[in-house]
mmCIF file of all heavy atoms in Angstrom:
data_model
loop_
_atom_site.group_PDB
_atom_site.id
_atom_site.type_symbol
_atom_site.label_atom_id
_atom_site.label_comp_id
_atom_site.label_asym_id
_atom_site.label_seq_id
_atom_site.Cartn_x
_atom_site.Cartn_y
_atom_site.Cartn_z
ATOM 1 N N GLN A 18 91.360 102.570 77.588
ATOM 2 C CA GLN A 18 89.910 102.376 77.566
ATOM 3 C C GLN A 18 89.552 100.970 78.026
ATOM 4 O O GLN A 18 90.104 99.978 77.554
ATOM 5 C CB GLN A 18 89.361 102.617 76.163
ATOM 6 C CG GLN A 18 87.846 102.573 76.093
ATOM 7 C CD GLN A 18 87.326 103.057 74.765
ATOM 8 O OE1 GLN A 18 88.086 103.401 73.863
ATOM 9 N NE2 GLN A 18 86.009 103.084 74.624
ATOM 10 N N ILE A 19 88.607 100.882 78.948
ATOM 11 C CA ILE A 19 88.160 99.601 79.505
ATOM 12 C C ILE A 19 86.868 99.187 78.826
ATOM 13 O O ILE A 19 85.923 99.968 78.744
ATOM 14 C CB ILE A 19 87.976 99.720 81.035
ATOM 15 C CG1 ILE A 19 89.325 99.994 81.700
ATOM 16 C CG2 ILE A 19 87.340 98.463 81.615
ATOM 17 C CD1 ILE A 19 89.228 100.293 83.184
ATOM 18 N N ARG A 20 86.824 97.956 78.366
ATOM 19 C CA ARG A 20 85.682 97.476 77.596
ATOM 20 C C ARG A 20 84.394 97.543 78.403
ATOM 21 O O ARG A 20 84.369 97.330 79.615
ATOM 22 C CB ARG A 20 85.921 96.045 77.130
ATOM 23 C CG ARG A 20 86.864 95.962 75.955
ATOM 24 C CD ARG A 20 87.244 94.558 75.578
ATOM 25 N NE ARG A 20 86.244 93.534 75.859
ATOM 26 C CZ ARG A 20 86.367 92.271 75.459
ATOM 27 N NH1 ARG A 20 87.434 91.908 74.775
ATOM 28 N NH2 ARG A 20 85.453 91.381 75.757
ATOM 29 N N GLU A 21 83.295 97.790 77.695
ATOM 30 C CA GLU A 21 81.988 97.943 78.333
ATOM 31 C C GLU A 21 81.488 96.635 78.932
ATOM 32 O O GLU A 21 80.728 96.628 79.901
ATOM 33 C CB GLU A 21 80.979 98.476 77.311
ATOM 34 C CG GLU A 21 79.629 98.801 77.915
ATOM 35 C CD GLU A 21 78.736 99.512 76.924
ATOM 36 O OE1 GLU A 21 79.118 99.625 75.734
ATOM 37 O OE2 GLU A 21 77.653 99.960 77.327
ATOM 38 N N ASP A 22 81.911 95.486 78.366
ATOM 39 C CA ASP A 22 81.372 94.200 78.806
ATOM 40 C C ASP A 22 82.104 93.634 80.033
ATOM 41 O O ASP A 22 81.939 92.458 80.357
ATOM 42 C CB ASP A 22 81.409 93.178 77.666
ATOM 43 C CG ASP A 22 82.819 92.899 77.145
ATOM 44 O OD1 ASP A 22 83.770 93.566 77.613
ATOM 45 O OD2 ASP A 22 82.967 92.025 76.274
ATOM 46 N N LEU A 23 82.882 94.463 80.720
ATOM 47 C CA LEU A 23 83.613 93.992 81.894
ATOM 48 C C LEU A 23 82.924 94.357 83.209
ATOM 49 O O LEU A 23 83.537 94.313 84.267
ATOM 50 C CB LEU A 23 85.030 94.554 81.894
ATOM 51 C CG LEU A 23 85.941 93.984 80.796
ATOM 52 C CD1 LEU A 23 87.269 94.693 80.788
ATOM 53 C CD2 LEU A 23 86.147 92.494 80.982
ATOM 54 N N THR A 24 81.643 94.682 83.131
ATOM 55 C CA THR A 24 80.900 95.084 84.327
ATOM 56 C C THR A 24 80.991 94.042 85.429
ATOM 57 O O THR A 24 81.267 94.365 86.591
ATOM 58 C CB THR A 24 79.424 95.327 83.980
ATOM 59 O OG1 THR A 24 79.344 96.365 83.002
ATOM 60 C CG2 THR A 24 78.630 95.733 85.216
ATOM 61 N N GLU A 25 80.767 92.787 85.092
ATOM 62 C CA GLU A 25 80.765 91.740 86.115
ATOM 63 C C GLU A 25 82.162 91.534 86.688
ATOM 64 O O GLU A 25 82.318 91.294 87.897
ATOM 65 C CB GLU A 25 80.233 90.426 85.533
ATOM 66 C CG GLU A 25 80.027 89.322 86.565
ATOM 67 C CD GLU A 25 79.032 89.692 87.662
ATOM 68 O OE1 GLU A 25 78.213 90.605 87.451
ATOM 69 O OE2 GLU A 25 79.082 89.061 88.734
ATOM 70 N N TYR A 26 83.171 91.631 85.855
ATOM 71 C CA TYR A 26 84.544 91.491 86.344
ATOM 72 C C TYR A 26 84.862 92.596 87.345
ATOM 73 O O TYR A 26 85.451 92.352 88.396
ATOM 74 C CB TYR A 26 85.515 91.540 85.171
ATOM 75 C CG TYR A 26 86.954 91.260 85.559
ATOM 76 C CD1 TYR A 26 87.333 89.997 86.003
ATOM 77 C CD2 TYR A 26 87.920 92.256 85.489
ATOM 78 C CE1 TYR A 26 88.657 89.730 86.357
ATOM 79 C CE2 TYR A 26 89.238 92.006 85.839
ATOM 80 C CZ TYR A 26 89.600 90.747 86.276
ATOM 81 O OH TYR A 26 90.899 90.480 86.636
ATOM 82 N N ILE A 27 84.487 93.818 87.018
ATOM 83 C CA ILE A 27 84.711 94.958 87.916
ATOM 84 C C ILE A 27 83.993 94.731 89.238
ATOM 85 O O ILE A 27 84.535 94.986 90.315
ATOM 86 C CB ILE A 27 84.235 96.260 87.246
ATOM 87 C CG1 ILE A 27 85.149 96.617 86.067
ATOM 88 C CG2 ILE A 27 84.175 97.401 88.250
ATOM 89 C CD1 ILE A 27 84.621 97.742 85.197
ATOM 90 N N ARG A 28 82.770 94.217 89.162
ATOM 91 C CA ARG A 28 81.988 94.008 90.372
ATOM 92 C C ARG A 28 82.574 92.886 91.226
ATOM 93 O O ARG A 28 82.764 93.037 92.435
ATOM 94 C CB ARG A 28 80.533 93.664 89.993
ATOM 95 C CG ARG A 28 79.558 93.712 91.164
ATOM 96 C CD ARG A 28 78.228 93.072 90.769
ATOM 97 N NE ARG A 28 77.685 93.645 89.557
ATOM 98 C CZ ARG A 28 76.924 94.736 89.518
ATOM 99 N NH1 ARG A 28 76.653 95.385 90.635
ATOM 100 N NH2 ARG A 28 76.443 95.184 88.365
ATOM 101 N N VAL A 29 82.862 91.742 90.603
ATOM 102 C CA VAL A 29 83.384 90.594 91.348
ATOM 103 C C VAL A 29 84.734 90.910 91.975
ATOM 104 O O VAL A 29 85.024 90.505 93.104
ATOM 105 C CB VAL A 29 83.488 89.360 90.423
ATOM 106 C CG1 VAL A 29 84.293 88.246 91.077
ATOM 107 C CG2 VAL A 29 82.094 88.856 90.066
ATOM 108 N N GLN A 30 85.571 91.663 91.262
ATOM 109 C CA GLN A 30 86.900 91.980 91.769
ATOM 110 C C GLN A 30 86.910 93.202 92.698
ATOM 111 O O GLN A 30 87.976 93.607 93.172
ATOM 112 C CB GLN A 30 87.875 92.194 90.608
ATOM 113 C CG GLN A 30 88.072 90.969 89.733
ATOM 114 C CD GLN A 30 88.724 89.813 90.474
ATOM 115 O OE1 GLN A 30 89.215 89.978 91.579
ATOM 116 N NE2 GLN A 30 88.717 88.632 89.882
ATOM 117 N N ARG A 31 85.758 93.766 92.972
ATOM 118 C CA ARG A 31 85.591 94.815 93.986
ATOM 119 C C ARG A 31 86.461 96.046 93.729
ATOM 120 O O ARG A 31 87.004 96.641 94.661
ATOM 121 C CB ARG A 31 85.896 94.261 95.379
ATOM 122 C CG ARG A 31 85.107 93.020 95.749
ATOM 123 C CD ARG A 31 85.468 92.560 97.150
ATOM 124 N NE ARG A 31 84.945 91.212 97.413
ATOM 125 C CZ ARG A 31 85.177 90.550 98.533
ATOM 126 N NH1 ARG A 31 85.896 91.091 99.502
ATOM 127 N NH2 ARG A 31 84.686 89.333 98.704
ATOM 128 N N ILE A 32 86.602 96.424 92.485
ATOM 129 C CA ILE A 32 87.486 97.543 92.164
ATOM 130 C C ILE A 32 86.733 98.721 91.554
ATOM 131 O O ILE A 32 87.353 99.665 91.069
ATOM 132 C CB ILE A 32 88.603 97.096 91.194
ATOM 133 C CG1 ILE A 32 88.005 96.445 89.944
ATOM 134 C CG2 ILE A 32 89.578 96.167 91.891
ATOM 135 C CD1 ILE A 32 89.030 96.161 88.867
ATOM 136 N N GLY A 33 85.392 98.684 91.608
ATOM 137 C CA GLY A 33 84.613 99.766 90.998
ATOM 138 C C GLY A 33 84.908 101.121 91.621
ATOM 139 O O GLY A 33 85.097 102.115 90.911
ATOM 140 N N GLY A 34 84.920 101.181 92.950
ATOM 141 C CA GLY A 34 85.197 102.451 93.622
ATOM 142 C C GLY A 34 86.574 102.990 93.280
ATOM 143 O O GLY A 34 86.751 104.209 93.101
ATOM 144 N N LEU A 35 87.554 102.100 93.178
ATOM 145 C CA LEU A 35 88.910 102.516 92.856
ATOM 146 C C LEU A 35 88.991 103.035 91.420
ATOM 147 O O LEU A 35 89.612 104.069 91.159
ATOM 148 C CB LEU A 35 89.883 101.351 93.055
ATOM 149 C CG LEU A 35 91.348 101.634 92.720
ATOM 150 C CD1 LEU A 35 91.882 102.805 93.535
ATOM 151 C CD2 LEU A 35 92.203 100.388 92.937
ATOM 152 N N LEU A 36 88.367 102.327 90.480
ATOM 153 C CA LEU A 36 88.401 102.785 89.088
ATOM 154 C C LEU A 36 87.746 104.156 88.948
ATOM 155 O O LEU A 36 88.202 104.995 88.154
ATOM 156 C CB LEU A 36 87.697 101.768 88.181
ATOM 157 C CG LEU A 36 88.431 100.437 87.966
ATOM 158 C CD1 LEU A 36 87.592 99.496 87.127
ATOM 159 C CD2 LEU A 36 89.803 100.663 87.320
ATOM 160 N N TYR A 37 86.703 104.407 89.717
ATOM 161 C CA TYR A 37 86.074 105.729 89.683
ATOM 162 C C TYR A 37 87.015 106.776 90.280
ATOM 163 O O TYR A 37 87.201 107.856 89.707
ATOM 164 C CB TYR A 37 84.751 105.706 90.454
ATOM 165 C CG TYR A 37 84.051 107.049 90.454
ATOM 166 C CD1 TYR A 37 83.388 107.512 89.323
ATOM 167 C CD2 TYR A 37 84.073 107.859 91.584
ATOM 168 C CE1 TYR A 37 82.771 108.750 89.313
ATOM 169 C CE2 TYR A 37 83.449 109.103 91.591
ATOM 170 C CZ TYR A 37 82.800 109.545 90.457
ATOM 171 O OH TYR A 37 82.186 110.766 90.449
ATOM 172 N N HIS A 38 87.638 106.459 91.402
ATOM 173 C CA HIS A 38 88.532 107.406 92.080
ATOM 174 C C HIS A 38 89.723 107.782 91.205
ATOM 175 O O HIS A 38 90.130 108.957 91.169
ATOM 176 C CB HIS A 38 89.021 106.796 93.397
ATOM 177 C CG HIS A 38 90.111 107.569 94.061
ATOM 178 N ND1 HIS A 38 89.942 108.854 94.525
ATOM 179 C CD2 HIS A 38 91.407 107.230 94.327
ATOM 180 C CE1 HIS A 38 91.086 109.280 95.054
ATOM 181 N NE2 HIS A 38 91.979 108.320 94.944
ATOM 182 N N ILE A 39 90.294 106.817 90.487
ATOM 183 C CA ILE A 39 91.496 107.099 89.692
ATOM 184 C C ILE A 39 91.150 107.505 88.265
ATOM 185 O O ILE A 39 92.031 107.612 87.412
ATOM 186 C CB ILE A 39 92.454 105.888 89.685
ATOM 187 C CG1 ILE A 39 91.842 104.684 88.956
ATOM 188 C CG2 ILE A 39 92.842 105.511 91.110
ATOM 189 C CD1 ILE A 39 92.789 103.488 88.857
ATOM 190 N N GLU A 40 89.850 107.711 88.018
ATOM 191 C CA GLU A 40 89.376 108.192 86.724
ATOM 192 C C GLU A 40 89.729 107.236 85.599
ATOM 193 O O GLU A 40 90.322 107.607 84.582
ATOM 194 C CB GLU A 40 89.927 109.603 86.442
ATOM 195 C CG GLU A 40 89.493 110.622 87.484
ATOM 196 C CD GLU A 40 90.028 112.017 87.219
ATOM 197 O OE1 GLU A 40 91.006 112.162 86.447
ATOM 198 O OE2 GLU A 40 89.467 112.965 87.772
ATOM 199 N N GLY A 41 89.331 105.970 85.808
ATOM 200 C CA GLY A 41 89.497 104.990 84.746
ATOM 201 C C GLY A 41 88.677 105.360 83.527
ATOM 202 O O GLY A 41 87.611 105.979 83.639
ATOM 203 N N HIS A 42 89.175 104.983 82.350
ATOM 204 C CA HIS A 42 88.492 105.286 81.084
ATOM 205 C C HIS A 42 87.381 104.246 80.880
ATOM 206 O O HIS A 42 87.594 103.195 80.270
ATOM 207 C CB HIS A 42 89.499 105.254 79.937
ATOM 208 C CG HIS A 42 88.954 105.786 78.649
ATOM 209 N ND1 HIS A 42 89.737 105.957 77.529
ATOM 210 C CD2 HIS A 42 87.710 106.190 78.295
ATOM 211 C CE1 HIS A 42 89.000 106.421 76.544
ATOM 212 N NE2 HIS A 42 87.769 106.569 76.979
ATOM 213 N N LEU A 43 86.189 104.555 81.395
ATOM 214 C CA LEU A 43 85.080 103.612 81.434
ATOM 215 C C LEU A 43 83.959 104.034 80.502
ATOM 216 O O LEU A 43 83.824 105.221 80.155
ATOM 217 C CB LEU A 43 84.528 103.524 82.866
ATOM 218 C CG LEU A 43 85.501 103.083 83.954
ATOM 219 C CD1 LEU A 43 85.025 103.568 85.318
ATOM 220 C CD2 LEU A 43 85.633 101.567 83.942
ATOM 221 N N SER A 44 83.119 103.064 80.118
ATOM 222 C CA SER A 44 81.912 103.382 79.379
ATOM 223 C C SER A 44 80.957 104.156 80.288
ATOM 224 O O SER A 44 81.138 104.205 81.518
ATOM 225 C CB SER A 44 81.228 102.104 78.901
ATOM 226 O OG SER A 44 80.737 101.370 80.024
ATOM 227 N N GLU A 45 79.928 104.750 79.726
ATOM 228 C CA GLU A 45 78.978 105.517 80.540
ATOM 229 C C GLU A 45 78.309 104.636 81.585
ATOM 230 O O GLU A 45 78.183 105.024 82.756
ATOM 231 C CB GLU A 45 77.914 106.157 79.641
ATOM 232 C CG GLU A 45 76.917 107.006 80.422
ATOM 233 C CD GLU A 45 75.904 107.688 79.514
ATOM 234 O OE1 GLU A 45 76.083 107.648 78.279
ATOM 235 O OE2 GLU A 45 74.932 108.270 80.034
ATOM 236 N N ALA A 46 77.906 103.427 81.177
ATOM 237 C CA ALA A 46 77.228 102.527 82.116
ATOM 238 C C ALA A 46 78.166 102.118 83.242
ATOM 239 O O ALA A 46 77.775 102.101 84.415
ATOM 240 C CB ALA A 46 76.715 101.293 81.381
ATOM 241 N N ASN A 47 79.403 101.792 82.912
ATOM 242 C CA ASN A 47 80.349 101.388 83.955
ATOM 243 C C ASN A 47 80.794 102.567 84.816
ATOM 244 O O ASN A 47 81.119 102.382 85.996
ATOM 245 C CB ASN A 47 81.560 100.689 83.333
ATOM 246 C CG ASN A 47 81.265 99.241 82.972
ATOM 247 O OD1 ASN A 47 80.363 98.629 83.539
ATOM 248 N ND2 ASN A 47 82.007 98.702 82.015
ATOM 249 N N THR A 48 80.809 103.763 84.244
ATOM 250 C CA THR A 48 81.086 104.949 85.058
ATOM 251 C C THR A 48 80.013 105.123 86.122
ATOM 252 O O THR A 48 80.301 105.398 87.293
ATOM 253 C CB THR A 48 81.171 106.210 84.184
ATOM 254 O OG1 THR A 48 82.267 106.082 83.281
ATOM 255 C CG2 THR A 48 81.373 107.456 85.040
ATOM 256 N N GLN A 49 78.757 104.944 85.723
ATOM 257 C CA GLN A 49 77.653 105.060 86.680
ATOM 258 C C GLN A 49 77.756 103.978 87.754
ATOM 259 O O GLN A 49 77.550 104.246 88.949
ATOM 260 C CB GLN A 49 76.321 104.961 85.950
ATOM 261 C CG GLN A 49 76.038 106.149 85.042
ATOM 262 C CD GLN A 49 74.749 106.001 84.249
ATOM 263 O OE1 GLN A 49 74.094 104.957 84.282
ATOM 264 N NE2 GLN A 49 74.370 107.031 83.522
ATOM 265 N N LEU A 50 78.074 102.747 87.340
ATOM 266 C CA LEU A 50 78.240 101.655 88.298
ATOM 267 C C LEU A 50 79.352 101.980 89.290
ATOM 268 O O LEU A 50 79.164 101.859 90.509
ATOM 269 C CB LEU A 50 78.573 100.352 87.562
ATOM 270 C CG LEU A 50 79.070 99.199 88.448
ATOM 271 C CD1 LEU A 50 77.927 98.655 89.307
ATOM 272 C CD2 LEU A 50 79.682 98.088 87.596
ATOM 273 N N CYS A 51 80.502 102.395 88.780
ATOM 274 C CA CYS A 51 81.651 102.649 89.649
ATOM 275 C C CYS A 51 81.416 103.846 90.557
ATOM 276 O O CYS A 51 81.848 103.847 91.715
ATOM 277 C CB CYS A 51 82.909 102.841 88.806
ATOM 278 S SG CYS A 51 83.446 101.323 87.952
ATOM 279 N N ARG A 52 80.710 104.857 90.039
ATOM 280 C CA ARG A 52 80.371 106.004 90.892
ATOM 281 C C ARG A 52 79.464 105.570 92.029
ATOM 282 O O ARG A 52 79.660 105.979 93.186
ATOM 283 C CB ARG A 52 79.684 107.083 90.068
ATOM 284 C CG ARG A 52 79.331 108.337 90.912
ATOM 285 C CD ARG A 52 78.418 109.291 90.165
ATOM 286 N NE ARG A 52 79.039 109.784 88.957
ATOM 287 C CZ ARG A 52 78.570 109.556 87.732
ATOM 288 N NH1 ARG A 52 77.485 108.817 87.548
ATOM 289 N NH2 ARG A 52 79.175 110.069 86.685
ATOM 290 N N THR A 53 78.493 104.727 91.737
ATOM 291 C CA THR A 53 77.579 104.236 92.768
ATOM 292 C C THR A 53 78.334 103.432 93.818
ATOM 293 O O THR A 53 78.110 103.587 95.022
ATOM 294 C CB THR A 53 76.473 103.370 92.143
ATOM 295 O OG1 THR A 53 75.701 104.180 91.239
ATOM 296 C CG2 THR A 53 75.548 102.802 93.216
ATOM 297 N N ILE A 54 79.250 102.558 93.377
ATOM 298 C CA ILE A 54 80.052 101.769 94.323
ATOM 299 C C ILE A 54 80.904 102.688 95.178
ATOM 300 O O ILE A 54 81.009 102.500 96.394
ATOM 301 C CB ILE A 54 80.922 100.752 93.558
ATOM 302 C CG1 ILE A 54 80.034 99.697 92.877
ATOM 303 C CG2 ILE A 54 81.918 100.069 94.503
ATOM 304 C CD1 ILE A 54 80.790 98.762 91.958
ATOM 305 N N TRP A 55 81.515 103.708 94.563
ATOM 306 C CA TRP A 55 82.331 104.659 95.316
ATOM 307 C C TRP A 55 81.502 105.367 96.383
ATOM 308 O O TRP A 55 81.925 105.518 97.529
ATOM 309 C CB TRP A 55 82.948 105.681 94.359
ATOM 310 C CG TRP A 55 83.851 106.669 95.026
ATOM 311 C CD1 TRP A 55 85.187 106.547 95.255
ATOM 312 C CD2 TRP A 55 83.466 107.934 95.566
ATOM 313 N NE1 TRP A 55 85.664 107.663 95.906
ATOM 314 C CE2 TRP A 55 84.635 108.525 96.111
ATOM 315 C CE3 TRP A 55 82.258 108.627 95.636
ATOM 316 C CZ2 TRP A 55 84.619 109.777 96.716
ATOM 317 C CZ3 TRP A 55 82.240 109.877 96.245
ATOM 318 C CH2 TRP A 55 83.414 110.435 96.783
ATOM 319 N N GLN A 56 80.300 105.773 96.016
ATOM 320 C CA GLN A 56 79.419 106.453 96.977
ATOM 321 C C GLN A 56 79.012 105.514 98.110
ATOM 322 O O GLN A 56 78.990 105.915 99.276
ATOM 323 C CB GLN A 56 78.177 106.987 96.249
ATOM 324 C CG GLN A 56 78.475 108.126 95.289
ATOM 325 C CD GLN A 56 77.293 108.488 94.402
ATOM 326 O OE1 GLN A 56 76.393 107.659 94.167
ATOM 327 N NE2 GLN A 56 77.276 109.709 93.900
ATOM 328 N N GLN A 57 78.717 104.271 97.768
ATOM 329 C CA GLN A 57 78.339 103.291 98.794
ATOM 330 C C GLN A 57 79.507 103.016 99.734
ATOM 331 O O GLN A 57 79.330 102.945 100.953
ATOM 332 C CB GLN A 57 77.873 101.995 98.125
ATOM 333 C CG GLN A 57 76.556 102.117 97.390
ATOM 334 C CD GLN A 57 76.217 100.883 96.570
ATOM 335 O OE1 GLN A 57 77.097 100.054 96.271
ATOM 336 N NE2 GLN A 57 74.970 100.735 96.192
#
């Protein structure tokens, strides 16, 4: 499980799309963020 307060770390490190693709255990908010990055 990945902590909910790591949104900025995920964004800065450019790994949101990857975490969504590999089905990382994310909070609902970070799942939405990573899905959006993956789509973009």
Side-chain angles (χ1 to χ4, degrees):
Q18 186 170 2
I19 295 173
R20 283 173 30 173
E21 186 172 7
D22 60 355
L23 291 174
T24 300
E25 187 60 21
Y26 186 67
I27 291 170
R28 192 192 307 274
V29 168
Q30 298 295 349
R31 306 181 192 176
I32 55 172
L35 179 57
L36 289 176
Y37 180 75
H38 170 63
I39 66 177
E40 300 180 342
H42 190 174
L43 301 157
S44 67
E45 182 177 351
N47 281 337
T48 297
Q49 292 176 354
L50 167 71
C51 292
R52 181 191 299 117
T53 298
I54 293 173
W55 182 89
Q56 292 170 336
Q57 291 172 342

